mmCIF file of all heavy atoms in Angstrom:
data_model
loop_
_atom_site.group_PDB
_atom_site.id
_atom_site.type_symbol
_atom_site.label_atom_id
_atom_site.label_comp_id
_atom_site.label_asym_id
_atom_site.label_seq_id
_atom_site.Cartn_x
_atom_site.Cartn_y
_atom_site.Cartn_z
ATOM 1 N N ALA A 239 0.505 17.619 -5.389
ATOM 2 C CA ALA A 239 -0.796 17.549 -6.012
ATOM 3 C C ALA A 239 -0.616 17.416 -7.525
ATOM 4 O O ALA A 239 0.419 17.820 -8.062
ATOM 5 C CB ALA A 239 -1.618 18.794 -5.682
ATOM 6 N N PRO A 240 -1.599 16.863 -8.239
ATOM 7 C CA PRO A 240 -1.466 16.707 -9.690
ATOM 8 C C PRO A 240 -1.150 18.026 -10.388
ATOM 9 O O PRO A 240 -1.795 19.043 -10.133
ATOM 10 C CB PRO A 240 -2.836 16.174 -10.112
ATOM 11 C CG PRO A 240 -3.343 15.469 -8.900
ATOM 12 C CD PRO A 240 -2.858 16.302 -7.736
ATOM 13 N N GLY A 241 -0.142 18.003 -11.244
ATOM 14 C CA GLY A 241 0.239 19.180 -11.997
ATOM 15 C C GLY A 241 1.012 20.224 -11.221
ATOM 16 O O GLY A 241 1.319 21.283 -11.768
ATOM 17 N N LYS A 242 1.333 19.939 -9.966
ATOM 18 C CA LYS A 242 2.046 20.897 -9.143
ATOM 19 C C LYS A 242 3.381 20.319 -8.691
ATOM 20 O O LYS A 242 3.609 19.117 -8.738
ATOM 21 C CB LYS A 242 1.206 21.305 -7.932
ATOM 22 C CG LYS A 242 -0.081 22.026 -8.287
ATOM 23 C CD LYS A 242 -0.809 22.499 -7.047
ATOM 24 C CE LYS A 242 -2.070 23.266 -7.412
ATOM 25 N NZ LYS A 242 -2.788 23.739 -6.202
ATOM 26 N N GLU A 243 4.255 21.210 -8.255
ATOM 27 C CA GLU A 243 5.556 20.794 -7.759
ATOM 28 C C GLU A 243 5.431 20.150 -6.391
ATOM 29 O O GLU A 243 4.538 20.468 -5.608
ATOM 30 C CB GLU A 243 6.500 21.990 -7.672
ATOM 31 C CG GLU A 243 6.815 22.648 -9.002
ATOM 32 C CD GLU A 243 7.766 23.819 -8.852
ATOM 33 O OE1 GLU A 243 8.221 24.087 -7.720
ATOM 34 O OE2 GLU A 243 8.062 24.467 -9.863
ATOM 35 N N ARG A 244 6.351 19.239 -6.119
ATOM 36 C CA ARG A 244 6.419 18.664 -4.790
ATOM 37 C C ARG A 244 6.863 19.741 -3.804
ATOM 38 O O ARG A 244 7.801 20.499 -4.070
ATOM 39 C CB ARG A 244 7.398 17.496 -4.776
ATOM 40 C CG ARG A 244 7.411 16.716 -3.475
ATOM 41 C CD ARG A 244 8.257 15.452 -3.593
ATOM 42 N NE ARG A 244 7.720 14.547 -4.602
ATOM 43 C CZ ARG A 244 8.169 13.316 -4.817
ATOM 44 N NH1 ARG A 244 9.169 12.840 -4.087
ATOM 45 N NH2 ARG A 244 7.626 12.564 -5.761
ATOM 46 N N GLU A 245 6.188 19.822 -2.670
ATOM 47 C CA GLU A 245 6.485 20.852 -1.694
ATOM 48 C C GLU A 245 6.734 20.258 -0.319
ATOM 49 O O GLU A 245 6.179 19.227 0.054
ATOM 50 C CB GLU A 245 5.350 21.883 -1.616
ATOM 51 C CG GLU A 245 4.036 21.328 -1.098
ATOM 52 C CD GLU A 245 2.960 22.388 -0.966
ATOM 53 O OE1 GLU A 245 3.239 23.575 -1.247
ATOM 54 O OE2 GLU A 245 1.824 22.044 -0.576
ATOM 55 N N LEU A 246 7.565 20.949 0.426
ATOM 56 C CA LEU A 246 7.868 20.541 1.789
ATOM 57 C C LEU A 246 6.666 20.759 2.690
ATOM 58 O O LEU A 246 6.004 21.796 2.617
ATOM 59 C CB LEU A 246 9.058 21.341 2.316
ATOM 60 C CG LEU A 246 9.411 21.144 3.791
ATOM 61 C CD1 LEU A 246 9.964 19.744 4.022
ATOM 62 C CD2 LEU A 246 10.423 22.192 4.235
ATOM 63 N N VAL A 247 6.397 19.790 3.543
ATOM 64 C CA VAL A 247 5.352 19.906 4.548
ATOM 65 C C VAL A 247 5.964 20.113 5.928
ATOM 66 O O VAL A 247 5.628 21.063 6.638
ATOM 67 C CB VAL A 247 4.434 18.671 4.556
ATOM 68 C CG1 VAL A 247 3.403 18.770 5.682
ATOM 69 C CG2 VAL A 247 3.745 18.519 3.205
ATOM 70 N N ALA A 248 6.864 19.220 6.320
ATOM 71 C CA ALA A 248 7.480 19.294 7.635
ATOM 72 C C ALA A 248 8.748 18.467 7.655
ATOM 73 O O ALA A 248 8.888 17.507 6.895
ATOM 74 C CB ALA A 248 6.517 18.801 8.724
ATOM 75 N N THR A 249 9.678 18.833 8.527
ATOM 76 C CA THR A 249 10.885 18.048 8.748
ATOM 77 C C THR A 249 11.117 17.895 10.242
ATOM 78 O O THR A 249 10.630 18.689 11.046
ATOM 79 C CB THR A 249 12.135 18.684 8.120
ATOM 80 O OG1 THR A 249 12.384 19.960 8.717
ATOM 81 C CG2 THR A 249 11.970 18.841 6.614
ATOM 82 N N ILE A 250 11.876 16.868 10.590
ATOM 83 C CA ILE A 250 12.258 16.652 11.977
ATOM 84 C C ILE A 250 13.701 16.173 12.003
ATOM 85 O O ILE A 250 14.093 15.281 11.255
ATOM 86 C CB ILE A 250 11.303 15.661 12.679
ATOM 87 C CG1 ILE A 250 11.619 15.566 14.171
ATOM 88 C CG2 ILE A 250 11.336 14.290 12.009
ATOM 89 C CD1 ILE A 250 10.523 14.859 14.976
ATOM 90 N N THR A 251 14.508 16.789 12.857
ATOM 91 C CA THR A 251 15.904 16.428 12.981
ATOM 92 C C THR A 251 16.069 15.305 13.991
ATOM 93 O O THR A 251 15.129 14.901 14.669
ATOM 94 C CB THR A 251 16.741 17.646 13.399
ATOM 95 O OG1 THR A 251 16.214 18.202 14.605
ATOM 96 C CG2 THR A 251 16.722 18.701 12.307
ATOM 97 N N SER A 252 17.294 14.801 14.092
ATOM 98 C CA SER A 252 17.545 13.668 14.970
ATOM 99 C C SER A 252 17.263 13.987 16.432
ATOM 100 O O SER A 252 16.893 13.091 17.199
ATOM 101 C CB SER A 252 18.985 13.173 14.815
ATOM 102 O OG SER A 252 19.914 14.194 15.147
ATOM 103 N N ASP A 253 17.407 15.258 16.819
ATOM 104 C CA ASP A 253 17.134 15.643 18.199
ATOM 105 C C ASP A 253 15.678 16.019 18.431
ATOM 106 O O ASP A 253 15.304 16.431 19.530
ATOM 107 C CB ASP A 253 18.051 16.783 18.642
ATOM 108 C CG ASP A 253 17.791 18.079 17.892
ATOM 109 O OD1 ASP A 253 16.966 18.094 16.967
ATOM 110 O OD2 ASP A 253 18.432 19.090 18.238
ATOM 111 N N GLY A 254 14.843 15.895 17.400
ATOM 112 C CA GLY A 254 13.425 16.140 17.546
ATOM 113 C C GLY A 254 12.947 17.511 17.143
ATOM 114 O O GLY A 254 11.740 17.792 17.247
ATOM 115 N N GLY A 255 13.838 18.372 16.693
ATOM 116 C CA GLY A 255 13.435 19.694 16.270
ATOM 117 C C GLY A 255 12.613 19.650 14.993
ATOM 118 O O GLY A 255 12.973 18.961 14.039
ATOM 119 N N GLY A 256 11.517 20.379 14.975
ATOM 120 C CA GLY A 256 10.607 20.344 13.851
ATOM 121 C C GLY A 256 10.550 21.650 13.084
ATOM 122 O O GLY A 256 10.805 22.728 13.628
ATOM 123 N N TYR A 257 10.236 21.535 11.811
ATOM 124 C CA TYR A 257 10.010 22.676 10.948
ATOM 125 C C TYR A 257 8.747 22.403 10.153
ATOM 126 O O TYR A 257 8.528 21.284 9.687
ATOM 127 C CB TYR A 257 11.183 22.901 9.985
ATOM 128 C CG TYR A 257 10.887 23.940 8.930
ATOM 129 C CD1 TYR A 257 11.063 25.291 9.192
ATOM 130 C CD2 TYR A 257 10.400 23.568 7.675
ATOM 131 C CE1 TYR A 257 10.763 26.245 8.234
ATOM 132 C CE2 TYR A 257 10.099 24.514 6.714
ATOM 133 C CZ TYR A 257 10.285 25.852 7.000
ATOM 134 O OH TYR A 257 9.982 26.797 6.051
ATOM 135 N N TYR A 258 7.918 23.448 9.977
ATOM 136 C CA TYR A 258 6.659 23.301 9.260
ATOM 137 C C TYR A 258 6.504 24.379 8.207
ATOM 138 O O TYR A 258 6.830 25.548 8.445
ATOM 139 C CB TYR A 258 5.483 23.386 10.231
ATOM 140 C CG TYR A 258 5.505 22.314 11.285
ATOM 141 C CD1 TYR A 258 6.155 22.519 12.500
ATOM 142 C CD2 TYR A 258 4.892 21.089 11.068
ATOM 143 C CE1 TYR A 258 6.190 21.531 13.463
ATOM 144 C CE2 TYR A 258 4.917 20.093 12.025
ATOM 145 C CZ TYR A 258 5.576 20.323 13.218
ATOM 146 O OH TYR A 258 5.600 19.330 14.171
ATOM 147 N N ALA A 259 6.002 23.971 7.061
ATOM 148 C CA ALA A 259 5.649 24.939 6.045
ATOM 149 C C ALA A 259 4.463 25.770 6.531
ATOM 150 O O ALA A 259 3.609 25.283 7.283
ATOM 151 C CB ALA A 259 5.295 24.231 4.737
ATOM 152 N N GLU A 260 4.401 27.014 6.110
ATOM 153 C CA GLU A 260 3.384 27.926 6.596
ATOM 154 C C GLU A 260 1.949 27.406 6.450
ATOM 155 O O GLU A 260 1.154 27.569 7.379
ATOM 156 C CB GLU A 260 3.524 29.282 5.900
ATOM 157 C CG GLU A 260 2.662 30.378 6.514
ATOM 158 C CD GLU A 260 3.079 30.728 7.926
ATOM 159 O OE1 GLU A 260 4.279 30.588 8.241
ATOM 160 O OE2 GLU A 260 2.207 31.137 8.717
ATOM 161 N N PRO A 261 1.585 26.762 5.330
ATOM 162 C CA PRO A 261 0.183 26.329 5.190
ATOM 163 C C PRO A 261 -0.280 25.296 6.220
ATOM 164 O O PRO A 261 -1.491 25.150 6.413
ATOM 165 C CB PRO A 261 0.142 25.730 3.779
ATOM 166 C CG PRO A 261 1.263 26.393 3.059
ATOM 167 C CD PRO A 261 2.338 26.551 4.091
ATOM 168 N N VAL A 262 0.659 24.603 6.867
ATOM 169 C CA VAL A 262 0.256 23.547 7.798
ATOM 170 C C VAL A 262 0.573 23.882 9.242
ATOM 171 O O VAL A 262 0.240 23.085 10.139
ATOM 172 C CB VAL A 262 0.892 22.194 7.419
ATOM 173 C CG1 VAL A 262 0.631 21.869 5.954
ATOM 174 C CG2 VAL A 262 2.386 22.185 7.723
ATOM 175 N N LYS A 263 1.177 25.015 9.503
ATOM 176 C CA LYS A 263 1.522 25.391 10.870
ATOM 177 C C LYS A 263 0.279 25.454 11.748
ATOM 178 O O LYS A 263 -0.736 26.026 11.357
ATOM 179 C CB LYS A 263 2.239 26.732 10.898
ATOM 180 C CG LYS A 263 3.671 26.680 10.413
ATOM 181 C CD LYS A 263 4.344 28.046 10.512
ATOM 182 C CE LYS A 263 5.786 27.982 10.056
ATOM 183 N NZ LYS A 263 6.437 29.323 10.092
ATOM 184 N N GLY A 264 0.383 24.857 12.917
ATOM 185 C CA GLY A 264 -0.731 24.834 13.840
ATOM 186 C C GLY A 264 -1.718 23.721 13.599
ATOM 187 O O GLY A 264 -2.602 23.492 14.433
ATOM 188 N N ARG A 265 -1.602 23.018 12.477
ATOM 189 C CA ARG A 265 -2.527 21.939 12.148
ATOM 190 C C ARG A 265 -1.846 20.575 12.086
ATOM 191 O O ARG A 265 -2.447 19.568 12.448
ATOM 192 C CB ARG A 265 -3.211 22.210 10.809
ATOM 193 C CG ARG A 265 -4.026 23.499 10.781
ATOM 194 C CD ARG A 265 -4.845 23.605 9.502
ATOM 195 N NE ARG A 265 -4.002 23.681 8.303
ATOM 196 C CZ ARG A 265 -4.041 22.811 7.304
ATOM 197 N NH1 ARG A 265 -4.888 21.784 7.336
ATOM 198 N NH2 ARG A 265 -3.246 22.962 6.252
ATOM 199 N N PHE A 266 -0.599 20.539 11.612
ATOM 200 C CA PHE A 266 0.129 19.283 11.461
ATOM 201 C C PHE A 266 1.238 19.196 12.499
ATOM 202 O O PHE A 266 1.819 20.209 12.892
ATOM 203 C CB PHE A 266 0.771 19.178 10.077
ATOM 204 C CG PHE A 266 -0.187 19.036 8.928
ATOM 205 C CD1 PHE A 266 -1.550 19.163 9.088
ATOM 206 C CD2 PHE A 266 0.308 18.769 7.660
ATOM 207 C CE1 PHE A 266 -2.420 19.038 8.017
ATOM 208 C CE2 PHE A 266 -0.547 18.632 6.581
ATOM 209 C CZ PHE A 266 -1.913 18.769 6.754
ATOM 210 N N THR A 267 1.549 17.979 12.914
ATOM 211 C CA THR A 267 2.638 17.736 13.847
ATOM 212 C C THR A 267 3.468 16.557 13.367
ATOM 213 O O THR A 267 2.925 15.477 13.127
ATOM 214 C CB THR A 267 2.119 17.451 15.264
ATOM 215 O OG1 THR A 267 1.314 18.542 15.718
ATOM 216 C CG2 THR A 267 3.296 17.252 16.225
ATOM 217 N N ILE A 268 4.774 16.760 13.232
ATOM 218 C CA ILE A 268 5.668 15.683 12.859
ATOM 219 C C ILE A 268 6.329 15.137 14.120
ATOM 220 O O ILE A 268 6.682 15.891 15.030
ATOM 221 C CB ILE A 268 6.716 16.155 11.825
ATOM 222 C CG1 ILE A 268 7.516 14.966 11.284
ATOM 223 C CG2 ILE A 268 7.636 17.221 12.407
ATOM 224 C CD1 ILE A 268 8.394 15.321 10.091
ATOM 225 N N SER A 269 6.474 13.832 14.186
ATOM 226 C CA SER A 269 7.101 13.196 15.329
ATOM 227 C C SER A 269 7.780 11.919 14.862
ATOM 228 O O SER A 269 7.596 11.484 13.719
ATOM 229 C CB SER A 269 6.079 12.893 16.432
ATOM 230 O OG SER A 269 5.088 11.992 15.974
ATOM 231 N N LYS A 270 8.557 11.317 15.745
ATOM 232 C CA LYS A 270 9.226 10.079 15.384
ATOM 233 C C LYS A 270 9.418 9.190 16.594
ATOM 234 O O LYS A 270 9.421 9.653 17.736
ATOM 235 C CB LYS A 270 10.582 10.359 14.708
ATOM 236 C CG LYS A 270 11.601 11.077 15.575
ATOM 237 C CD LYS A 270 12.829 11.457 14.741
ATOM 238 C CE LYS A 270 13.859 12.225 15.560
ATOM 239 N NZ LYS A 270 14.597 11.311 16.473
ATOM 240 N N ASP A 271 9.577 7.918 16.324
ATOM 241 C CA ASP A 271 9.852 6.920 17.346
ATOM 242 C C ASP A 271 11.132 6.222 16.915
ATOM 243 O O ASP A 271 11.122 5.396 15.997
ATOM 244 C CB ASP A 271 8.690 5.937 17.461
ATOM 245 C CG ASP A 271 8.868 4.948 18.599
ATOM 246 O OD1 ASP A 271 10.009 4.608 18.946
ATOM 247 O OD2 ASP A 271 7.842 4.496 19.147
ATOM 248 N N ASN A 272 12.235 6.564 17.552
ATOM 249 C CA ASN A 272 13.523 6.021 17.142
ATOM 250 C C ASN A 272 13.586 4.498 17.277
ATOM 251 O O ASN A 272 14.182 3.823 16.435
ATOM 252 C CB ASN A 272 14.648 6.656 17.963
ATOM 253 C CG ASN A 272 14.854 8.115 17.636
ATOM 254 O OD1 ASN A 272 14.387 8.618 16.615
ATOM 255 N ND2 ASN A 272 15.570 8.810 18.504
ATOM 256 N N ALA A 273 12.990 3.968 18.323
ATOM 257 C CA ALA A 273 13.020 2.526 18.540
ATOM 258 C C ALA A 273 12.309 1.773 17.429
ATOM 259 O O ALA A 273 12.684 0.644 17.097
ATOM 260 C CB ALA A 273 12.411 2.181 19.892
ATOM 261 N N LYS A 274 11.274 2.376 16.868
ATOM 262 C CA LYS A 274 10.512 1.747 15.794
ATOM 263 C C LYS A 274 10.970 2.182 14.411
ATOM 264 O O LYS A 274 10.422 1.713 13.408
ATOM 265 C CB LYS A 274 9.027 2.056 15.955
ATOM 266 C CG LYS A 274 8.416 1.503 17.229
ATOM 267 C CD LYS A 274 6.923 1.802 17.276
ATOM 268 C CE LYS A 274 6.310 1.301 18.567
ATOM 269 N NZ LYS A 274 6.413 -0.177 18.695
ATOM 270 N N ASN A 275 11.943 3.080 14.342
ATOM 271 C CA ASN A 275 12.414 3.620 13.066
ATOM 272 C C ASN A 275 11.249 4.135 12.229
ATOM 273 O O ASN A 275 11.154 3.867 11.028
ATOM 274 C CB ASN A 275 13.208 2.570 12.290
ATOM 275 C CG ASN A 275 14.523 2.231 12.951
ATOM 276 O OD1 ASN A 275 15.305 3.124 13.287
ATOM 277 N ND2 ASN A 275 14.774 0.941 13.142
ATOM 278 N N THR A 276 10.384 4.883 12.875
ATOM 279 C CA THR A 276 9.167 5.352 12.233
ATOM 280 C C THR A 276 8.961 6.833 12.501
ATOM 281 O O THR A 276 9.170 7.301 13.623
ATOM 282 C CB THR A 276 7.949 4.559 12.728
ATOM 283 O OG1 THR A 276 8.133 3.171 12.436
ATOM 284 C CG2 THR A 276 6.672 5.031 12.053
ATOM 285 N N VAL A 277 8.556 7.552 11.468
ATOM 286 C CA VAL A 277 8.202 8.955 11.591
ATOM 287 C C VAL A 277 6.722 9.107 11.284
ATOM 288 O O VAL A 277 6.172 8.363 10.456
ATOM 289 C CB VAL A 277 9.076 9.831 10.667
ATOM 290 C CG1 VAL A 277 8.855 9.476 9.207
ATOM 291 C CG2 VAL A 277 8.809 11.300 10.914
ATOM 292 N N TYR A 278 6.069 10.039 11.947
ATOM 293 C CA TYR A 278 4.635 10.228 11.824
ATOM 294 C C TYR A 278 4.314 11.659 11.410
ATOM 295 O O TYR A 278 5.086 12.590 11.653
ATOM 296 C CB TYR A 278 3.930 9.939 13.148
ATOM 297 C CG TYR A 278 4.245 8.586 13.731
ATOM 298 C CD1 TYR A 278 5.260 8.430 14.669
ATOM 299 C CD2 TYR A 278 3.528 7.457 13.349
ATOM 300 C CE1 TYR A 278 5.551 7.193 15.206
ATOM 301 C CE2 TYR A 278 3.816 6.219 13.880
ATOM 302 C CZ TYR A 278 4.832 6.088 14.816
ATOM 303 O OH TYR A 278 5.118 4.851 15.340
ATOM 304 N N LEU A 279 3.165 11.814 10.809
ATOM 305 C CA LEU A 279 2.624 13.131 10.536
ATOM 306 C C LEU A 279 1.169 13.131 10.971
ATOM 307 O O LEU A 279 0.326 12.501 10.330
ATOM 308 C CB LEU A 279 2.732 13.493 9.057
ATOM 309 C CG LEU A 279 2.280 14.912 8.696
ATOM 310 C CD1 LEU A 279 3.234 15.942 9.296
ATOM 311 C CD2 LEU A 279 2.181 15.083 7.190
ATOM 312 N N GLN A 280 0.893 13.803 12.075
ATOM 313 C CA GLN A 280 -0.471 13.965 12.545
ATOM 314 C C GLN A 280 -1.075 15.167 11.846
ATOM 315 O O GLN A 280 -0.553 16.278 11.953
ATOM 316 C CB GLN A 280 -0.503 14.164 14.062
ATOM 317 C CG GLN A 280 -1.901 14.355 14.634
ATOM 318 C CD GLN A 280 -2.761 13.119 14.495
ATOM 319 O OE1 GLN A 280 -2.315 12.014 14.799
ATOM 320 N NE2 GLN A 280 -3.986 13.289 14.013
ATOM 321 N N MET A 281 -2.160 14.946 11.126
ATOM 322 C CA MET A 281 -2.784 15.970 10.309
ATOM 323 C C MET A 281 -4.172 16.254 10.867
ATOM 324 O O MET A 281 -5.060 15.402 10.806
ATOM 325 C CB MET A 281 -2.877 15.510 8.854
ATOM 326 C CG MET A 281 -1.555 14.995 8.291
ATOM 327 S SD MET A 281 -1.756 14.087 6.730
ATOM 328 C CE MET A 281 -2.271 15.413 5.649
ATOM 329 N N ASN A 282 -4.354 17.435 11.416
ATOM 330 C CA ASN A 282 -5.630 17.855 11.976
ATOM 331 C C ASN A 282 -6.205 19.018 11.183
ATOM 332 O O ASN A 282 -5.497 19.700 10.445
ATOM 333 C CB ASN A 282 -5.463 18.265 13.440
ATOM 334 C CG ASN A 282 -4.986 17.147 14.325
ATOM 335 O OD1 ASN A 282 -5.329 15.981 14.120
ATOM 336 N ND2 ASN A 282 -4.202 17.484 15.338
ATOM 337 N N SER A 283 -7.489 19.249 11.363
ATOM 338 C CA SER A 283 -8.178 20.356 10.696
ATOM 339 C C SER A 283 -7.890 20.374 9.206
ATOM 340 O O SER A 283 -7.563 21.410 8.620
ATOM 341 C CB SER A 283 -7.775 21.690 11.341
ATOM 342 O OG SER A 283 -8.086 21.701 12.716
ATOM 343 N N LEU A 284 -8.026 19.229 8.581
ATOM 344 C CA LEU A 284 -7.666 19.093 7.175
ATOM 345 C C LEU A 284 -8.562 19.935 6.277
ATOM 346 O O LEU A 284 -9.760 20.089 6.528
ATOM 347 C CB LEU A 284 -7.720 17.631 6.761
ATOM 348 C CG LEU A 284 -6.518 16.803 7.236
ATOM 349 C CD1 LEU A 284 -6.831 15.319 7.194
ATOM 350 C CD2 LEU A 284 -5.295 17.120 6.381
#
């Protein structure tokens, strides 16, 4: 955000394991599609 430090939201490892920062737990989901070389962040209850 403007004037603030960059912060971690979520990570996903090659085997699909996810990690979420506390403010987004239960609301955001990180996923990936290896065939498409694409990672996603589904953001709900914004």
